[in-house]
């Protein structure tokens, strides 16, 4: 594929980027009239009717996302796929219609390139965000597991202490924290410090 041919092709990422924030107008100009612009309201489906089977997502204006229970056949998707639900259009027909609606079919090479860069930057930001969340989930899981270890060890010591107390009725016996327990507390402490350290570096 030559650089020029590649530059002329607009795909879903670019058109989706251009459509963000405009889905209500796009759908309306393509003949899909929403009964409500509130994501809290259940309304008839602009595609398949009914009484209260349809609602838009809270992110609708940015993503076009919608949910339709379609009389038992639950469907959902983004702004493109609502055109499929309404008109039976294929994904490439949906893409073409939205691109035309946004005037992108006449866009100059420069405008297309700008859009492509923006779409790539958004995709990179989403990936970075997903990685951050993965990392956070990994840390949370490690901390929960370290907490559980510590709790188990403390319970075990309490058990040993009760046993010792029963067999030695004369004086109260104290069993000091076991080595494993101290080590588990140390691990937990390190995991917590790691979170503070990473928060510090994110702030910069
Ligand atoms: Zn429907």
């Amino acid at each position: 594929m030559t650089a020029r041919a590649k530059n002329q092709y607009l795909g879903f990422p670019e058109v989706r980027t251009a459509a963000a924030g405009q889905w209500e107008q796009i759908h309306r100009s393509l003949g899909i009239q929403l009964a409500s612009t509130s994501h809290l309201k259940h309304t008839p489906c602009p595609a398949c009717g009914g009484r209260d089977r349809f609602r838009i997502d809270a992110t609708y204006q940015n993503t076009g996302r919608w949910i339709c229970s379609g009389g038992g056949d639950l469907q959902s998707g983004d702004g493109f796929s609502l055109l499929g639900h309404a008109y039976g259009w294929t994904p490439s027909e949906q893409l073409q219609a939205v691109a035309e609606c946004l005037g992108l079919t006449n866009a100059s090479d420069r405008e297309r390139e700008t859009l492509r860069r923006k779409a790539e930057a958004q995709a990179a930001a989403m990936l970075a965000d997903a990685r951050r969340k993965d990392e956070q989930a990994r840390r949370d899981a490690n901390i929960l597991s370290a907490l559980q270890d510590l709790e188990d060890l403390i319970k075990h010591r309490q058990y040993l202490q009760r046993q010792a107390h029963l067999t030695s009725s004369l004086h109260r016996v104290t069993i000091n924290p076991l080595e494993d327990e101290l080590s588990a507390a140390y691990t937990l402490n390190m995991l917590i410090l790691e979170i503070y350290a990473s928060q510090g570096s994110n702030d910069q």
Side-chain angles (χ1 to χ4, degrees), residues 6 16 22 30 106 109 145 151 156 184 193:
K6 192 178 170 194
R16 185 177 284 116
Q22 306 191 63
L30 290 170
N106 298 318
D109 282 358
S145 137
E151 195 183 320
H156 182 61
L193 286 175

Side-chain angles (χ1 to χ4, degrees), residues 172-186:
R172 189 170 171 78
V173 181
T174 300
I175 295 182
N176 289 319
L178 306 174
E179 206 164 300
D180 286 350
E181 200 179 322
L182 291 171
S183 154
Y186 177 76

Side-chain angles (χ1 to χ4, degrees), residues 45 47-49 53-54 68 70 85:
C45 177
C48 68
R53 61 175 63 176
F54 181 88
C68 172
H85 186 43

Side-chain angles (χ1 to χ4, degrees), residues 110-126:
R110 179 190 279 270
E111 283 166 332
R112 285 160 191 253
E113 190 53 31
T114 303
L115 209 48
R116 189 182 324 285
R117 294 232 168 100
K118 202 171 158 193
E120 277 169 11
Q122 279 178 355
M126 275 170 68

